[in-house]
Amino acid sequence: MLFQKILLSFAFLVNLGLGILVYIKAGSNKRVNITFSILAWASAGWALSVFMIYFFKDQPLMLFWGRMSFTTSAIIPTAFLLFTILFPRELRRINSFKAILLFLPAILFLVLSFSNKIVTSLGDGPQMFIYGSFYPFFSAYLTGYILLGFLILIKTFRNTIGFERLQVKYCLLGMFFTSSLGLLSNLFLPMMGVSKFNWLGPSLTMIMVGFTTYSILKHRLMDINIVLKKGTTYILLLLLLFIPSFILILLGQKIFYGKINYLFTIMMFSVLFLAAILFHRIKPGTEKAVDHFLFRDRYNYRETLGKFSKAMVNILDLQSLLKRIIETITQTLGVDKASLFLLDDEKGGYNLFESKNIKMHAPAPLLPKGAPLPVYLQKMGEIVVREELAKGANLPELNGVIQQMSLLEAEVSIPLISKRQLIGIINLSYKFNKDVYYHEDIELLTTLANQAAIAIENARLFEDLKKSKSYIRRADRLASLGTLTAGLAHEIRNPLVAIKTLTQLLPERLEDEEFRNHFLSIAAGEVDRISHLINELLDFAKPSSPKLEFEDVNSILDGMILLVSTESKKKHIHVDKQYAPDLPSVKVDGEQIKQVFLNLLLNAIEATPENGEITVKTRSFLKPGGEPYLQVEFKDTGCGIPQEHLEEIFNPFYTTKTTGSGLGLSISNQIVLDHKGYIDVESQVNKGTSFFINLPVDQDRPRRRQTDLETQRTTFFEP
């Protein structure tokens, strides 16, 4: 009987406390919280009433608390039904009149419970009470309201999604456990004359109240399947560990003291239970403290590797990444020698990319794909230790692996695996202190290897992207060359015709000094013009690696305007040059900036109708932060760009022209961004377009801000 009393008192306290908590936390769904609090408090009153029945031995008091249990339990079905109508966020509106109608049965049975209509008197034997004439109606009310509430919850569950659906699922689960067992133990069994389990129903209300409280107050709910899994696990642990412990405590008292004290047994069991919970909670902190104070070195390198595994995914340069991996591992683990091999599909093996203190012997530092070590690592997919392999050296498969690890001076070989393929190998020698690699070391290196494989794949993808950009720029450059070459062929042919004509007349007028002088001046000028055009074309076509040098932007513009002069003359377009005098030199890659200027000039010529005008301006200006910038403006009188297209013109492959790849502006924008500058554009349909190339005068100083791309307001000054 003591167990029932403890459980009922605990259920009373839990239901009362959770009801108060939900009431205090009432926010926007105040009616939901209040209704649930009434349900929780009614459940607490029910548990208290049944506790009092077992607590008192006086029959009048037992009869009073028996009737009180029906008084409190009469409120539960109505509160439950009203809660299911409102839960989870008052999806259904219910006015005061309907609420009163719902509460009428509860009020009726609450009044009748103090008479002999529901409980007449105390029973004897297994039957605790003699029931009155209204007990069947009370049973029908209780069962009907609870079933109706379940139907409403199920309908709500079907109509909700996401977080609300999970809330209803929690509520359904808690209500199901409580109502199914509660109706059986406190309604159906008493109707058959068995009342000894009537303590079970009010005790189980803790499950309903607990689950529903969690679903109301918790913002991030755990998956219900995990709850069931953990619950089942804890129950099994209780059965396997605590019940035998409970029995041993009882047997120990019987053997040593000759009697059993159940209160002492409950206290000992509670101490064991509390110790088990606290052990699980304080274990991680204790381990960390022991590592920190007694094994400081191991604690430090574990922390260092943990931080590094998070940081290295942000390193996109492959060589820097590999160097960082080797340096971090060797420094933190105290390793003298290390090497890192990466898969090179073109060479058909694993090439040595980074190493420390390794003297490679013949053959060359390239491991073929079919070599013993890569094959074994691909097969095993885990870190291998040479000493452990040596224990099975009698196996032919392992002999080759051990021999190859010895040649590489590797005590440990770490596979780098991505998409189930071995993409690299990290080899580590002995530690400085000749210590072994512990299980903890292997676990940390395994975690690091997984992170390193992802980081290496990201770095390689980034390198491929850079190569692709380079190929696209080269393709756009060749397309521009094609356009220029066609025009230059005509431009070169004209002076050659003049020179040829003069050459044919020269024998006849050789003695004419005036003709000779005129011929020489014209021929020299035309030859210089052809030479200048060809030199500009060759400079533009010549591939070169990016090189930042101080350049005169005005001179670069003159060369590009000369290159497009043929195209502009075809359409009789006047190119007006408005250069700022004494423009400061700017540090740029001349060949890349030529590509930008040439692309914008060709676009302007194509967009401008015949007899139009293109204006090229240069100026200096100070940004609001005081940073000096140089600006080049290309303004045409062409068709313009609609406002809705201005945000898309820099996207790759986007073009409004019938011909062209749509890459020119995208490449130009990327080149300017690489120079820490930015491009602005203004356009009006049928009036023209202006492109503004803004380049920092000091490459090392400026830091582009988001406002650079959003505002075009600048403060100009004359240099």
Side-chain angles (χ1 to χ4, degrees):
M1 199 63 68
L2 179 62
F3 175 74
Q4 288 89 327
K5 290 179 182 179
I6 293 173
L7 194 61
L8 286 167
S9 60
F10 188 67
F12 165 71
L13 294 173
V14 169
N15 292 340
L16 181 67
L18 292 179
I20 295 172
L21 179 63
V22 172
Y23 180 79
I24 293 172
K25 295 289 185 179
S28 58
N29 296 338
K30 190 173 182 180
R31 296 177 67 187
V32 174
N33 288 45
I34 292 175
T35 306
F36 176 74
S37 296
I38 294 172
L39 176 62
W41 293 332
S43 301
W46 188 26
L48 179 63
S49 300
V50 177
F51 171 82
M52 290 300 183
I53 295 172
Y54 287 103
F55 185 79
F56 291 107
K57 302 299 181 183
D58 184 61
Q59 289 195 1
L61 285 175
M62 290 178 65
L63 180 61
F64 170 78
W65 284 108
R67 288 173 174 173
M68 184 61 71
S69 69
F70 281 92
T71 303
T72 52
S73 61
I75 303 172
I76 294 176
T78 302
F80 171 66
L81 181 59
L82 185 60
F83 174 75
T84 59
I85 294 173
L86 298 174
F87 188 72
R89 52 177 178 87
E90 299 191 32
L91 296 174
R92 304 173 186 86
R93 294 292 177 183
I94 182 168
N95 54 36
S96 301
F97 178 73
K98 291 180 180 179
I100 292 172
L101 286 178
L102 285 175
F103 268 99
L104 278 178
I107 296 170
L108 174 63
F109 289 112
L110 190 147
V111 174
L112 292 175
S113 62
F114 287 99
S115 67
N116 59 1
K117 299 296 183 181
I118 297 178
V119 176
T120 303
S121 60
L122 293 176
D124 53 359
Q127 188 171 4
M128 184 173 287
F129 299 108
I130 304 299
Y131 299 109
S133 57
F134 273 80
Y135 182 76
F137 298 103
F138 178 83
S139 303
Y141 153 70
L142 189 68
T143 307
Y145 266 48
I146 288 177
L147 288 178
L148 182 58
F150 267 106
L151 292 175
I152 293 173
L153 273 181
I154 292 170
K155 185 178 179 181
T156 304
F157 176 76
R158 291 175 177 174
N159 294 332
T160 52
I161 58 174
F163 177 74
E164 290 181 350
R165 185 182 180 89
L166 193 54
Q167 278 185 302
V168 178
K169 188 185 288 188
Y170 266 88
C171 184
L172 271 171
L173 186 66
M175 298 290 185
F176 174 77
F177 279 123
T178 298
S179 60
S180 58
L181 295 175
L183 288 174
L184 177 65
S185 61
N186 291 73
L187 188 63
F188 300 125
L189 287 179
M191 290 175 68
M192 294 183 289
V194 180
S195 302
K196 62 180 180 179
F197 297 108
N198 62 353
W199 56 271
L200 191 59
S203 302
L204 290 174
T205 54
M206 289 188 297
I207 300 176
M208 171 194 69
V209 174
F211 269 71
T212 311
T213 301
Y214 180 74
S215 70
I216 292 174
L217 299 183
K218 193 71 175 177
H219 296 289
R220 292 181 179 270
L221 298 180
M222 188 184 296
D223 186 354
I224 198 73
N225 294 322
I226 296 176
V227 174
L228 294 174
K229 179 181 177 181
K230 287 190 174 183
T232 306
T233 303
Y234 290 147
I235 290 172
L236 288 175
L237 284 173
L238 184 66
L239 293 173
L240 293 174
L241 297 177
F242 291 107
I243 290 180
S245 301
F246 188 79
I247 295 172
L248 285 174
I249 292 172
L250 293 176
L251 289 175
Q253 292 180 79
K254 187 68 174 177
I255 293 171
F256 291 102
Y257 302 106
K259 63 178 182 177
I260 295 175
N261 188 315
Y262 288 100
L263 182 60
F264 175 78
T265 304
I266 294 295
M267 289 176 60
M268 289 297 296
F269 183 79
S270 300
V271 169
L272 286 174
F273 188 73
L274 184 63
I277 295 175
L278 290 177
F279 178 82
H280 178 70
R281 293 292 179 88
I282 66 176
K283 178 176 175 285
T286 306
E287 283 184 340
K288 188 174 182 180
V290 170
D291 278 343
H292 186 69
F293 291 106
L294 300 181
F295 304 97
R296 183 178 296 272
D297 292 338
R298 181 166 299 177
Y299 174 82
N300 287 340
Y301 85 66
R302 180 175 181 175
E303 187 178 62
T304 302
L305 286 178
K307 290 179 180 178
F308 173 71
S309 65
K310 296 177 182 177
M312 69 179 175
V313 294
N314 297 319
I315 304 175
L316 294 177
D317 180 68
L318 183 60
Q319 201 60 44
S320 301
L321 174 65
L322 301 181
K323 187 174 182 181
R324 179 79 176 273
I325 291 172
I326 291 296
E327 286 181 352
T328 302
I329 293 177
T330 54
Q331 289 176 7
T332 53
L333 287 177
V335 177
D336 181 36
K337 300 177 181 181
S339 59
L340 196 155
F341 289 78
L342 283 186
L343 179 63
D344 189 335
D345 286 318
E346 294 181 0
K347 295 182 179 179
Y350 296 85
N351 199 22
L352 180 65
F353 271 74
E354 190 65 39
S355 65
K356 180 180 180 181
N357 299 331
I358 293 292
K359 296 179 181 179
M360 298 301 300
H361 304 287
L366 177 69
L367 294 175
K369 275 189 176 182
L373 181 60
V375 171
Y376 188 74
L377 290 174
Q378 175 72 62
K379 176 183 176 182
M380 301 302 295
E382 60 184 24
I383 296 175
V384 296
V385 181
R386 188 162 61 90
E387 280 188 349
E388 295 178 0
L389 294 180
K391 297 176 182 178
N394 56 333
L395 299 175
E397 179 186 12
L398 298 181
N399 286 332
V401 177
I402 296 169
Q403 185 178 1
Q404 198 157 57
M405 291 180 71
S406 300
L407 291 174
L408 296 172
E409 301 183 69
E411 176 59 24
V412 172
S413 290
I414 308 166
L416 302 176
I417 296 176
S418 176
K419 299 176 183 178
R420 299 183 180 180
Q421 182 182 11
L422 185 70
I423 63 168
I425 304 169
I426 300 176
N427 298 305
L428 304 178
S429 68
Y430 280 109
K431 300 178 183 179
F432 286 122
N433 56 8
K434 304 298 182 182
D435 208 349
V436 298
Y437 286 89
Y438 296 101
H439 177 70
E440 185 184 34
D441 300 330
I442 301 301
E443 284 186 345
L444 289 170
L445 288 173
T446 301
T447 302
L448 178 61
N450 294 333
Q451 296 289 338
I454 296 172
I456 289 170
E457 284 292 283
N458 289 340
R460 282 188 156 178
L461 288 173
F462 183 71
E463 284 199 345
D464 292 341
L465 180 61
K466 288 197 296 184
K467 289 179 181 178
S468 299
K469 284 185 178 180
S470 176
Y471 296 149
I472 291 173
R473 285 184 186 180
R474 198 176 303 168
D476 184 71
R477 197 182 189 90
L478 291 173
S480 300
L481 276 174
T483 303
L484 293 175
T485 304
L488 286 176
H490 177 74
E491 192 69 20
I492 293 172
R493 189 180 295 113
N494 288 338
L496 286 178
V497 170
I499 294 172
K500 181 180 179 181
T501 302
L502 291 171
T503 305
Q504 290 173 346
L505 292 173
L506 185 60
E508 300 176 5
R509 306 182 63 177
L510 185 59
E511 302 299 329
D512 188 343
E513 184 177 354
E514 183 180 354
F515 175 80
R516 290 201 311 270
N517 293 336
H518 182 64
F519 166 76
L520 289 174
S521 64
I522 291 176
E526 296 297 337
V527 170
D528 287 342
R529 176 174 172 76
I530 293 171
S531 177
H532 197 176
L533 284 170
I534 292 174
N535 287 336
E536 288 291 345
L537 186 64
L538 289 174
D539 287 342
F540 179 73
K542 181 174 59 178
S544 62
S545 57
K547 185 185 296 183
L548 294 177
E549 293 180 350
F550 285 103
E551 298 281 357
D552 182 359
V553 172
N554 289 345
S555 297
I556 295 176
L557 284 169
D558 280 336
M560 295 302 99
I561 291 172
L562 177 64
L563 272 182
V564 300
S565 59
T566 305
E567 296 295 319
S568 60
K569 286 177 182 177
K570 285 181 182 179
K571 300 176 71 173
H572 306 288
I573 295 172
H574 173 64
V575 180
D576 182 22
K577 296 187 289 186
Q578 298 180 14
Y579 297 161
D582 301 325
L583 195 70
S585 297
V586 63
K587 202 171 185 180
V588 295
D589 185 311
E591 298 307 316
Q592 290 187 359
I593 292 298
K594 283 181 182 180
Q595 187 173 355
V596 175
F597 292 166
L598 183 63
N599 188 280
L600 293 176
L601 283 169
L602 289 175
N603 284 351
I605 291 171
E606 189 170 351
T608 304
E610 291 189 3
N611 301 312
E613 184 178 54
I614 296 174
T615 304
V616 181
K617 296 181 182 179
T618 59
R619 61 174 71 92
S620 299
F621 70 90
L622 286 176
K623 298 193 68 180
E627 298 169 358
Y629 267 71
L630 182 149
Q631 186 179 82
V632 181
E633 178 185 353
F634 296 91
K635 182 179 180 180
D636 62 58
T637 57
C639 57
I641 304 171
Q643 290 295 318
E644 61 269 19
H645 294 162
L646 283 179
E647 294 297 324
E648 302 179 29
I649 58 175
F650 293 108
N651 293 339
F653 305 108
Y654 178 83
T655 179
T656 57
K657 300 184 291 186
T658 56
T659 59
S661 63
L663 294 171
L665 284 178
S666 174
I667 293 170
S668 299
N669 184 54
Q670 186 60 51
I671 291 173
V672 174
L673 289 176
D674 291 343
H675 283 74
K676 300 182 181 178
Y678 59 97
I679 300 179
D680 285 332
V681 59
E682 296 176 355
S683 185
Q684 292 183 347
V685 178
N686 299 324
K687 290 187 178 180
T689 303
S690 295
F691 282 89
F692 301 89
I693 310 299
N694 303 284
L695 298 170
V697 174
D698 185 356
Q699 277 277 15
D700 299 324
R701 178 184 174 187
R703 295 291 181 271
R704 290 186 293 109
R705 299 181 295 272
Q706 184 64 27
T707 53
D708 298 343
L709 306 176
E710 298 173 353
T711 179
Q712 297 174 2
R713 295 182 179 178
T714 53
T715 304
F716 293 98
F717 73 98
E718 292 297 327

